[in-house]
Amino acid sequence: MTGAIWSGRIAGVPVGVHWSVTGALGVLVGAFGFARWPRVFPGYPEPVLVGASVVTAVLFVVSVLVHHLAHALVARRHGFAVRHVTLWLLGGVARLRGQARRPGGALRTAVAGPLASLATGALLGLVAWLAAAAEARLLADALTHLVALNVALALVDLLPAAPLDGGRILRAALRVGRMGPDRATVWSTRAEAVFGAVLIGYATIRLVIGPAGGAVLWLLAGLILVVVAVWERRRALPTRGMAPE
């Protein structure tokens, strides 16, 4: 947890918060406290809006922590050794060691994070509905955006690409289906490469026929996925070359 500005233990799991998290907090505070809310709620004092944006940003970081703690706690139940959970600018990571006692344990570990984010979103959605019913408009707006962020976190993490959970879920599901670890790695990284190629194709079409807005980012994302897929396969099968089909 090098570079952590806070570290401790939650439910026995070592947890660290990297200094780069302050960047994510700053983006959210700026987006809500200085961009959206002064326009949507012009009657509120500026200190109230800024304070509410800080609380909202911290709550989002806490919800990301819940996502990764879910991975760690389920992993520990299934035989993994949990090194630590670290939050950083683009989210967080749960560092695990070892193997699950059964293939189903790896699948449950991978699914735990997205399910935790969806559950968090559902809980916040209920509170947002109650706040709206009570005409607490600022609170309802903040909670609604937190719901959207948690749902987006879960859905993006389910994409079939390492190091996202979707890639791990696919490999674990193949293992549960009695596929050997080598073949499961081959097929999961193959799916990741295909997904990356689709993004590259989409970005290329956008660049050629337009509109080209955001196409470069899609192109870079696709290239990264293809490169990571090749790297993951070579790392998992360093001496095999082409793994058996």
Side-chain angles (χ1 to χ4, degrees), residues 28-105:
L28 291 174
V29 169
F32 290 120
F34 294 95
R36 174 178 170 78
W37 287 342
R39 175 173 50 85
V40 177
F41 305 111
Y44 283 74
E46 183 176 335
V48 172
L49 298 181
V50 173
S53 67
V54 171
V55 173
T56 302
V58 170
L59 286 176
F60 177 65
V61 171
V62 170
S63 66
V64 174
L65 176 60
V66 169
H67 177 108
H68 291 286
L69 273 177
H71 282 308
L73 294 175
V74 174
R76 192 167 60 184
R77 286 189 59 188
H78 289 285
F80 289 97
V82 180
R83 294 177 59 190
H84 58 79
V85 169
T86 302
L87 301 183
W88 63 298
L89 175 63
L90 299 179
V93 62
R95 295 291 184 188
L96 311 177
R97 287 184 298 185
Q99 297 290 330
R101 287 186 289 266
R102 298 178 180 176

Side-chain angles (χ1 to χ4, degrees), residues 159 195-204 206-207 211-225:
L159 294 176
F195 183 67
V198 169
L199 291 184
I200 292 172
Y202 170 73
T204 302
R206 290 280 298 271
L207 288 171
V216 173
L217 292 178
W218 287 115
L219 180 62
L220 289 174
L223 290 171
I224 290 171
L225 288 180

